[in-house]
Amino acid sequence: FDKAIFILHDQLNLEAWPDWIKKEKPLLIFIESKEKGESLPYHKQKLTYVLSSMRHFAIECTESGFNVLYHSTEGHYDDGLSAILDGFDGQLTFMTPSEWETRERLRSVKSNFENQVQEIPNSFFLADVDQWKDKIGPNYRMEYFYREIRKQTGYLMDGDDPEGGEWNYDEDNRESLPKNHPLPEFPLFEPDEITKEVMQLIDETFTDHFGELNRFEYAVTRDQACTLLDDFIENRLDKFGPYEDALKTGNHKLFHSQLSLYLNNGLLLPAEVCERALEAYHKGNARLNSVEGFIRQIIGWREFIRIYYEAMMPDVRDANHFGFTNKLPSMFWTGKTKLKCMEESVKPVIEEGYSHHIQRLMILSNFSNLTETDPRELNRWFWFAYIDAYEWVELPNVLGMSTFADGGVLASKPYVSSGNYINKMSDYCKHCEYSVTKKTGENACPFNYLYWNFVDKQRDTFNDSGRVNFMVNMFDNRKSDQEKEAIRESTERFLADLDRES
Ligand code: FAD
């Protein structure tokens, strides 16, 4: 072979690679790296997903006439690739890895094999990093970017105006779920022989890693991922918008798509997913606020987050605006807690590596912020615990969006709330041992006093350019000295008793 392509585990779609590859059929190289798998205690189902979908994809490539070199290394990707290049005289192309460390490693291979290796830009995303990267900063919000991408793609545009007259229909998208509302079923897949083999390998090799592996029901091929996309468009998209922020005991998916893992390794591409949603809207099968809300998550948040990563790495890895130093509460590992909302948000992560956006943001991150946990610890947890986690997408969401660790580059305020918000959006509090109506003292919902403690202590972050924030004002002027003392006492007791990772 005079030409070869190295395809990483999250680049599994030839439609996103240059056209010449399908015509010329160079050698395709895949590498399984034990060191990458061991670099964090990744969820066992995440590792299963990564390896099984890569193995399936490699087999599909051979079936469509490619020669494939499938290599396994004890080391990292650079070790595997260097070993291959030692015995290969042709030209090798790799696509810029979306994750920083792998990128650095492949670039070092490129400098060691200067005349043989070339890097091409990553084409699994819609927005061009160079066009937007310099804009990232506290004055540039996702919404500005999103409008530009709407214009660029023409998605939901009516000439120069947004479809329906508004750019954003979020006001219609904040409903809690009515009691007894029917809930959708999700198609599940039985593991085939390839997946079973991978499950065994992961169980034996990564025994101490996070999460359960007694079942595995995710798609691992493009065909299966397309079945899930069809199912979402048909059965859930229409209600995605209104119940996007809702939380429900015993159901951690509701009307969400659960497509992030397939978008993040290429089995599905962002444009096709958006175009299917648009098609449903134009056929009258899905309402505008749902389709707009869904498309905004993909061409807005997902793309913006990736540009933020490119602009902020690597320094952002150390971001810790509030200077919190506490370890992660142990319940993030065990799911064992009297707090129903935390139990409901951690358990599905242990069982399946997934919980939906509001659980990640308004329960897990909120609790981490209020318990003054080091955001880098939370960041690490999100990276290894979720099936859809890759550093480029989880880090901005954790250190930028949900913990305010970057000091306000991505979000304008920290995402924190008292038990009231959780009670409004969910039925968790009804099933909880704590009382959401009690503000302090024994059995009071900890979110209540922890929230006011946070507002008090982090008042500078809430106050806006000299103006006193509404909540800070509430604390200062509407709470009696006795209430303030009770908040401090309850907080101190709760934080002192909280079991944390050692
Ligand atoms: P849906 O609610 O159906 O949304 C549709 C799609 O939009 C998602 O599949 C995803 O591709 C995209 N999307 C939505 N919100 C975001 C966002 N904030 N950032 C980027 N893409 C978004 N997403 C990941 O893909 N990987 C992660 O590791 C990850 N970590 C997160 C950590 C925290 C603390 C928070 C608050 C969010 C995180 N997200 C992450 C974003 C979002 O929560 C998930 O993309 C979403 O929950 C995935 O489920 P879904 O496919 O059902 O999404």
Side-chain angles (χ1 to χ4, degrees), residues 256-260 264 297 354 357 360 388-389 393-394 397:
H256 288 269
S257 68
Q258 211 181 36
L259 294 177
S260 48
N264 293 352
Q297 304 312 314
Y354 176 89
H357 185 68
R360 300 184 201 201
D388 58 10
V393 55
E394 71 71 32
N397 271 296

Side-chain angles (χ1 to χ4, degrees), residues 454-473:
F454 191 94
V455 169
D456 180 28
K457 283 211 200 131
Q458 310 306 340
R459 56 181 54 236
D460 293 348
T461 302
F462 285 90
N463 290 339
D464 234 1
S465 51
R467 266 182 310 142
V468 177
N469 171 268
F470 178 71
M471 301 315 280
V472 176
N473 204 13

Side-chain angles (χ1 to χ4, degrees), residues 195-233:
T195 301
K196 281 187 195 156
E197 201 176 290
V198 174
M199 286 169 82
Q200 198 182 340
L201 171 83
I202 301 300
D203 232 359
E204 285 165 10
T205 319
F206 304 97
T207 318
D208 297 331
H209 277 222
F210 183 82
E212 292 174 2
L213 188 55
N214 43 12
R215 63 192 161 100
F216 181 90
E217 293 166 329
Y218 289 107
V220 288
T221 64
R222 172 158 168 88
D223 276 356
Q224 290 176 337
C226 288
T227 304
L228 293 177
L229 173 60
D230 291 345
D231 182 74
F232 170 68
I233 300 289

Side-chain angles (χ1 to χ4, degrees), residues 186 232 236 240 244 252-253 255-264 273 293-306 354-362 364-365 378 382-383 386-399 401-403:
F186 277 66
F232 170 68
R236 276 168 283 142
F240 172 85
E244 197 181 350
H252 58 289
K253 299 180 192 170
F255 292 88
H256 288 269
S257 68
Q258 211 181 36
L259 294 177
S260 48
L261 64 160
Y262 311 112
L263 282 163
N264 293 352
V273 171
F294 180 69
I295 283 178
R296 173 152 33 91
Q297 304 312 314
I298 295 177
I299 65 170
W301 278 115
R302 187 172 186 273
E303 294 288 330
F304 187 69
I305 284 284
R306 184 240 176 175
Y354 176 89
S355 60
H356 74 66
H357 185 68
I358 299 301
Q359 292 177 297
R360 300 184 201 201
L361 185 66
M362 294 310 298
L364 299 169
S365 304
L378 182 74
F382 268 107
W383 192 358
Y386 277 78
I387 190 132
D388 58 10
Y390 297 84
E391 192 188 34
W392 67 266
V393 55
E394 71 71 32
L395 178 144
N397 271 296
V398 180
L399 297 181
M401 184 186 293
S402 66
T403 62

